[in-house]
Amino acid sequence: MTTRPRPLPFPAALGLALLLPVQAVALAGAAHAHGDTLKVVITGQQAGKVTADVTWENDGDPVEEAVAATVNAVSADGSRTAGPWRLVRGTGGAATWTTAETLPPGTWTVTVDAGFPSLGHAQQEVAVPVVDPAPPTASSGASPAPSPSGAPATATASAPPPSAIPATSPASDSDDAGWWTTAGVAGIALAGAAAGVLLRRRRLRRL
């Protein structure tokens, strides 16, 4: 046997009926407390990334919700376009938004269109400067340090070690050969003179 739920007493049912409209009005008022329009202000660029402040039009409070907005850019001569890109939260403050992509150097007409949590629009000319390349470091163009003696390091490195120099040179060998030749001639001359003296003595004895 099933039991049916007992109906609420008349005072309780009347209070619930009155409470629901009040809650609906409160929620609607909270939802529209900031207004129904976003104020978008393009503040410039940082390293080529477009920056913008997004606040509520009525009270200027930053938007706490996620903002769905697209960014488009056209060059000054109309030959180049960039986007659509989306805005992401930046680090400059609660109302700061930026792009993850970067614009090339030049002058651009940037347009931001927001669709959530409310509508917003902004257009601003943004100039992205040309960044000069970093100068070369001193170490890249430095010449090798000279040796303590003042001679280039390459000359010192190419000199053979003392152990590789031969003990005798060709000039000393020729001098030694000449000395031995002279000594040999002198010895032969002395031997001949001694033999002559012996022969004379023998002849004298025979006589």
Side-chain angles (χ1 to χ4, degrees), residues 92-109:
T96 303
W97 296 77
T98 183
T99 59
E101 298 82 4
T102 58
L103 287 173
T107 302
W108 301 83
T109 300

Side-chain angles (χ1 to χ4, degrees), residues 142-148 151-154:
S143 58
S147 59
T154 54

Side-chain angles (χ1 to χ4, degrees), residues 89-201:
R89 285 200 179 273
T91 57
T96 303
W97 296 77
T98 183
T99 59
E101 298 82 4
T102 58
L103 287 173
T107 302
W108 301 83
T109 300
V110 179
T111 304
V112 178
D113 289 298
F116 183 85
S118 190
L119 299 179
H121 174 81
Q123 189 176 72
Q124 180 72 30
E125 189 176 89
V126 175
V128 181
V130 178
V131 180
D132 295 332
T137 58
S139 59
S140 60
S143 58
S147 59
S149 61
T154 54
T156 305
S158 60
S163 59
I165 302 176
T168 59
S169 62
S172 61
D173 293 342
S174 61
D175 293 341
D176 293 341
W179 185 85
W180 282 107
T181 302
T182 304
V185 172
I188 293 173
L190 291 176
V197 172
L198 291 176
L199 289 176
R200 289 178 182 178
R201 287 181 179 180

Side-chain angles (χ1 to χ4, degrees), residues 5-17:
R6 296 178 59 185
L8 293 174
F10 179 75
L14 181 59
L16 181 60

